[in-house]
Amino acid sequence: MQHTKSSAENSGTAAEHYNGFTAEERAAMKEHAQEQKKAAVRRGSRAEKEAAAERDVLAKIAEMPEADRVLAERIHAIVKTAAPGLTPKLWYGMPAYARDGKVVCHFQSAQKFTSRYATLGFSDQAALDDGAIWPTAYALKELTAVDEQRISALVKKAMG
């Protein structure tokens, strides 16, 4: 019986060149697994757990290269002010902000996946729907006062 290749193998598509996850993606998945283990062993009141999660977020921000750290610190302050109901937490090693445990938005440093810019991303939990198409992530290189006002409005809208 003669062996035949699948259509993906015959076509020379990207599937043929797939080498698995990048080192950055594997590192993010490992961070997420560690976050889950750490959260599972935390004891104490909800307020104590939330305070510990915020300390983790602030520690992660402090580890970032200066350009990303400055942006992340501002995003953290904006989100805390605009949406005090969101709880800071780490999500795949990134600062994130959740409602009832579900991430609404997150900050991804440029360094995280060796990108040329940081991003502020919103999940499907964010109430940003605007017709049939709308942005869910925003590139960040620097923040002006106008940008900060826009982000504040987006975060407030995301809360619904």
Side-chain angles (χ1 to χ4, degrees):
M1 179 172 208
Q2 184 179 9
H3 174 71
T4 59
K5 292 183 176 181
S6 72
S7 61
E9 291 172 323
N10 286 330
S11 68
T13 63
E16 175 179 304
H17 302 288
Y18 178 70
N19 292 323
F21 295 106
T22 66
E24 293 88 359
E25 290 168 331
R26 285 191 301 276
M29 289 184 285
K30 286 179 183 178
E31 281 184 285
H32 183 63
Q34 290 171 345
E35 292 159 9
Q36 296 301 309
K37 287 179 187 176
K38 194 174 186 179
V41 297
R42 281 199 174 127
R43 302 215 186 272
S45 71
R46 180 178 179 175
E48 291 169 334
K49 290 177 185 179
E50 288 177 1
E54 183 164 11
R55 283 192 301 272
D56 292 345
V57 165
L58 294 172
K60 182 59 74 175
I61 290 171
E63 294 172 4
M64 293 177 184
E66 184 179 359
D68 287 337
R69 184 176 61 252
V70 168
L71 290 171
E73 288 170 346
R74 289 303 309 136
I75 294 297
H76 182 77
I78 292 166
V79 172
K80 294 282 292 175
T81 300
L86 292 180
T87 305
K89 66 184 271 182
L90 288 178
W91 185 62
Y92 293 95
M94 297 178 282
Y97 304 89
R99 177 179 47 216
D100 300 326
K102 295 182 180 182
V103 171
V104 173
C105 62
H106 70 281
F107 175 83
Q108 180 179 302
S109 71
Q111 179 216 14
K112 183 74 172 171
F113 295 108
T114 55
S115 176
R116 69 183 181 100
Y117 50 79
T119 58
L120 173 63
F122 292 89
S123 75
D124 61 340
Q125 298 297 311
L128 295 176
D129 304 35
D130 185 17
I133 184 170
W134 60 90
T136 59
Y138 296 83
L140 305 172
K141 293 286 281 177
E142 61 183 51
L143 293 176
T144 66
V146 172
D147 298 327
E148 290 181 8
Q149 289 173 349
R150 184 173 179 203
I151 289 169
S152 180
L154 280 168
V155 170
K156 286 177 185 176
K157 184 177 179 184
M159 290 295 292

